[in-house]
Structure formats: C-alpha cells, structure tokens
Amino acid sequence: GFVQNLKPIDLCGPRSSEFGHTILNFKGLKCKCGQRGCIEAYCSGVRHINQLRKSGFIKSTDGGYSIADQQCEKVSLRMLGEMAAQGNRQLLTTAVRELAKNLGYAVINATNLFHPDKIIINTRLNQAHSIISEGIEETLDSRPDNQEFPEVIISRNNDEIGTAGAA
C-alpha cells in the first residue's frame, strides 16, 4: 500500500494500490493473483519457503520439519530470518539476498511512479535486516543512470503486514 501524510491511500478501490501485483517480469513466475511476474511472486515468503523445500534445505519429517538438519515443529518466516541473520546457513542467506534484490527492483518501480521521500518495507524476515538492506542497495547501485532513490527503511516491527508504504 501507499501512505501520504501518515494515512493509507485508497487510490481507486481495494485492489488499486496493491503494489505487490505490479509486474517485474511479464514472462515471469506465476503469481497467486493469476498474473505472471508480480513483485509478490518474486518476493513473498511463501515462494522462498517453497524454493528452500525444493532445494532440500527444508524437509518434512514425522515430527514436523528438518531445516539444515535441525528439527522444528513448524517453519516460519521469522525463524528463517533469524537463521539467515546468523549467517551460518548459506543457502538460506542466498535466498533472502535474492528476495532483497527483487525488492530493489520494486523500490525502483515505486520511485519512478511516485517519487516518495521514503519507502518502508515490513517483512517477517526483518531479523535478516542487514541482508535485506544490502540486497536492495546492490540492486539500486547497479543502475547505470545514477538515479537518486528515497530512503529505504526496513521496519523492525514484528507485525504481519507486507509493504508498509511509500511516503
């Protein structure tokens, strides 16, 4: 969503400001909304948990799950963020970094459309704050045009919302 004067903006109805469903790659991954290449298809936690399952990093067991040979009852994005922040799980850290690079492209799109002063991203992976910030910065720094970008803030709130907004 988007925020102006500290209030959410409803641009033209309930789905009009779902920035997560703007396209990063029109031939890209299928999104749950039915489109291809949405930001959400590339940046959602569900996608990355599924990737980690396919890679064998997360395995189903009789008692729940095994993550890098560590038993747990359930898999949560918060837990994966903590593991990535510890840096001792290379595959997980790489997956979070990929998510962050894709968020960088979302920041570029939001900047080009709205020219916000700040972009606030809230993720359940916020324990991996530095990895996410570095991945976003890597994408922004790769731009050849030296475009200036708004301040990007990775929220450290532990609530369940996605992108908190562009202000």
Side-chain angles (χ1 to χ4, degrees):
F2 297 96
V3 177
Q4 184 174 24
N5 299 324
L6 303 176
K7 294 181 181 174
I9 300 171
D10 181 5
L11 297 173
C12 292
R15 290 197 45 94
S16 63
S17 60
E18 288 200 35
F19 193 70
H21 293 289
T22 58
I23 307 298
L24 286 177
N25 176 355
F26 73 96
K27 291 183 179 180
L29 299 171
K30 184 109 176 176
C31 181
K32 66 181 181 181
C33 75
Q35 297 187 110
R36 290 201 165 273
C38 292
I39 291 169
E40 187 170 313
Y42 286 92
C43 298
S44 75
V46 171
R47 175 183 183 257
H48 288 279
I49 286 175
N50 288 338
Q51 276 188 309
L52 291 168
R53 282 186 176 140
K54 286 178 187 173
S55 71
F57 187 81
I58 298 174
K59 298 175 185 158
S60 295
T61 65
D62 290 338
Y65 299 93
S66 170
I67 301 174
D69 301 323
Q70 181 180 348
Q71 285 297 120
C72 57
E73 289 181 26
K74 66 177 186 169
V75 177
S76 74
L77 290 177
R78 209 166 267 135
M79 179 178 57
L80 294 175
E82 288 169 5
M83 293 172 111
Q86 294 168 5
N88 58 357
R89 308 275 196 297
Q90 184 60 39
L91 181 63
L92 179 58
T93 303
T94 301
V96 172
R97 191 170 206 65
E98 178 191 338
L99 175 146
K101 286 180 183 178
N102 288 326
L103 281 173
Y105 290 109
V107 167
I108 291 168
N109 289 345
T111 300
N112 290 339
L113 288 170
F114 302 106
H115 306 288
D117 295 323
K118 295 180 184 181
I119 295 178
I120 303 166
I121 298 172
N122 191 357
T123 171
R124 291 178 213 144
L125 293 168
N126 62 17
Q127 293 84 350
H129 177 273
S130 62
I131 297 168
I132 293 170
S133 294
E134 290 166 11
I136 291 170
E137 285 298 318
E138 187 176 327
T139 299
L140 300 183
D141 290 345
S142 71
R143 296 279 302 202
D145 59 4
N146 296 322
Q147 179 179 0
E148 293 208 15
F149 292 99
E151 178 184 6
V152 178
I153 299 167
I154 309 300
S155 173
R156 293 184 185 235
N157 293 332
N158 285 323
D159 52 22
E160 300 297 316
I161 62 172
T163 302

